[in-house]
């Protein structure tokens, strides 16, 4: 985080017995704030967290995972970890905290700068999947980045951890996206409103993509056809067709997202880590459908068997064609926050 001398952990009161700070030497002062049910992060920051603090929020409630900029203030750096759900929630959260600890923000920033620099003059990119023979192309005069969640956590905003996502906007003037693209891997489903059972249901319906590919036909930025490349992706195809029927803008490809965190791995639950993780590649690639808050849901679908190349550039830019990057994964040290019932301390 920003390297200030005060560290504040914010957790929901119901989780108070499960987390503790293992004091290190990075911050001189440490505090834990227990958020009562119904409180918002804006309220917690306003009344319980001093200015010029590094803040880590661990919560399941959406109201504790975001806050207006004016309430955060210019002096606080806020990282938020979304709790897992169900009986494995603590184990899932431990995995996210460990991923946060392993992530090297400077390494992520270097990879983001290199990728953005290559595409700045490329004029387009190509996504190919040898497994299904799918090929899709994005063309642009200059790339438009709709999300740049890379590098160190920055003051004045809440950033969901782990970071490492760089999104090329494909739903903007001057950019086109067409072809066939294979989606395979753990998805990420976000919703416009918190506590949404439909969001969880939709995620579960898409989990077949973790093992089986689905081929989407895209015509000028809109999905026009779905083909299950294996029987196991049939449920995902049906779920997407139903979602498109509910709100047609869910079929709009709003972006191509790159995962740049080598300290993070894809995880078998609904978490931002699935789009941030590079896996074994230099960078992972994902297709983004829908756009919050214009659509009720936004889906980030991994393209784990595809390779991305930039027009006119030598070599692969992201995906399977960049595997075998090798080398020891970067590691950094932070104030360790542990979940006490899950054997991580």
């Amino acid at each position: 985080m920003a390297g200030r001398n005060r560290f504040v952990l914010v957790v929901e009161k119901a989780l108070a017995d499960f987390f503790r700070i293992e004091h290190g030497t990075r911050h001189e002062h440490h505090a834990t704030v227990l958020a009562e049910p119904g409180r918002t992060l804006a309220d917690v920051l306003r009344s319980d967290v001093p200015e010029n603090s590094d803040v880590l929020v661990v919560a399941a409630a959406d109201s504790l995972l975001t806050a207006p900029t004016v309430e955060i203030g210019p002096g606080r750096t806020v990282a938020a970890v979304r709790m897992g759900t169900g009986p494995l929630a603590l184990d899932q959260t431990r995995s996210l905290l460990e991923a946060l600890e392993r992530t090297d923000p400077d390494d992520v920033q270097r990879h983001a700068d290199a990728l953005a620099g290559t595409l700045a003059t490329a004029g387009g990119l190509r996504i190919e999947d040898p497994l299904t023979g799918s090929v899709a192309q994005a063309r642009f005069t200059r790339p438009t980045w709709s999300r740049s969640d890379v590098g160190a956590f920055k003051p004045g905003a809440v950033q969901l951890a782990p970071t490492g996502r760089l999104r090329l906007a494909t739903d903007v003037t001057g950019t086109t996206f067409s072809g066939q693209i294979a989606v395979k891997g753990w998805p990420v489903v976000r919703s416009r409103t918190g506590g949404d059972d439909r969001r969880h249901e939709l995620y579960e319906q898409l989990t077949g993509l973790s093992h089986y590919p689905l081929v989407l036909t895209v015509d000028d930025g809109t999905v026009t056809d779905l083909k299950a490349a294996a029987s196991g992706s049939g449920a995902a195809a049906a779920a997407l067709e139903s979602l498109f029927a509910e709100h047609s803008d869910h079929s709009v490809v709003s972006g191509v997202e790159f995962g740049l965190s080598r300290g993070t791995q894809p995880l078998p639950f609904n978490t931002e880590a699935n789009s941030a993780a590079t896996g074994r590649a230099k960078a992972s690639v994902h297709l983004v459908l829908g756009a919050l808050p214009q659509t009720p849901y936004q889906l980030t679908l991994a393209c784990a068997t595809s390779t991305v190349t930039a027009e006119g550039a030598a070599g692969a830019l992201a995906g399977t064609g960049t595997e075998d990057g090798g080398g020891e994964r970067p590691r950094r040290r932070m104030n360790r926050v542990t979940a006490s019932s899950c054997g991580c301390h």
Side-chain angles (χ1 to χ4, degrees), residues 12 125-126:
E12 295 174 68
L125 59 77
R126 183 180 177 94

Side-chain angles (χ1 to χ4, degrees), residues 259-267 273-286 304 319-320 322-327 329:
L260 301 165
S261 176
R262 296 197 296 157
T264 305
Q265 292 299 316
L267 298 166
N274 292 336
S275 56
T278 62
R280 295 189 301 272
K282 182 187 299 182
S284 60
V285 59
H286 310 259
T320 55
T322 64
E323 290 182 1
D324 196 29
R329 297 293 187 184

Side-chain angles (χ1 to χ4, degrees), residues 93-331:
T93 305
R94 177 188 61 179
S95 297
L96 293 176
L97 291 171
E98 290 174 343
L100 177 59
E101 184 176 12
R102 287 193 301 267
T103 299
D104 180 344
D106 294 332
D107 181 73
V108 172
Q109 186 69 62
R110 283 192 297 270
H111 280 77
D113 291 344
L115 190 150
T118 298
L119 288 179
T121 57
L125 59 77
R126 183 180 177 94
I127 304 174
E128 298 182 73
D129 174 42
L131 245 141
T132 61
S134 303
V135 179
Q137 288 183 302
R139 297 187 182 279
F140 42 78
T141 304
R142 55 179 297 181
T144 300
W145 301 105
S146 58
R147 177 174 189 164
S148 181
D149 186 10
V150 298
F153 290 97
K154 300 173 180 65
V158 179
Q159 292 177 266
L160 283 170
T163 59
R165 295 174 292 273
L166 187 64
R167 184 181 302 165
L168 173 71
T170 55
D171 58 350
V172 294
T173 302
T175 299
T176 62
F177 188 87
S178 294
Q180 289 189 315
I181 185 165
V183 292
K184 181 178 182 292
W186 291 105
V188 181
V189 180
R190 290 290 159 250
S191 61
R192 189 163 54 194
T193 57
D196 192 337
D197 291 339
R198 176 78 172 100
R199 174 180 62 189
H200 179 70
E201 177 188 32
L202 184 56
Y203 170 78
E204 291 297 327
Q205 292 170 333
L206 295 174
T207 55
L209 296 176
S210 63
H211 292 93
Y212 305 102
L214 176 67
V215 177
L216 282 60
T217 299
V218 182
D219 183 15
D220 195 21
T222 299
V223 178
T224 58
D225 190 36
L226 301 165
K227 180 181 178 182
S231 59
S233 57
L240 289 177
E241 288 176 344
S242 175
L243 188 64
F244 296 169
E246 290 174 21
H247 196 304
S248 61
D249 283 351
H250 286 117
S251 64
V252 174
V253 179
S254 60
V256 173
E257 188 158 290
F258 298 96
L260 301 165
S261 176
R262 296 197 296 157
T264 305
Q265 292 299 316
L267 298 166
F269 58 98
N270 194 11
T271 168
E272 282 77 7
N274 292 336
S275 56
T278 62
R280 295 189 301 272
K282 182 187 299 182
S284 60
V285 59
H286 310 259
L287 191 72
V288 183
L289 300 179
L292 298 176
Q294 290 81 8
T295 53
Y297 301 95
Q298 179 176 284
L299 315 178
T300 306
L301 305 178
C303 305
T305 55
S306 297
T307 295
V308 180
T309 53
E311 288 191 6
L317 188 66
T320 55
T322 64
E323 290 182 1
D324 196 29
E328 183 180 348
R329 297 293 187 184
R331 186 177 182 87

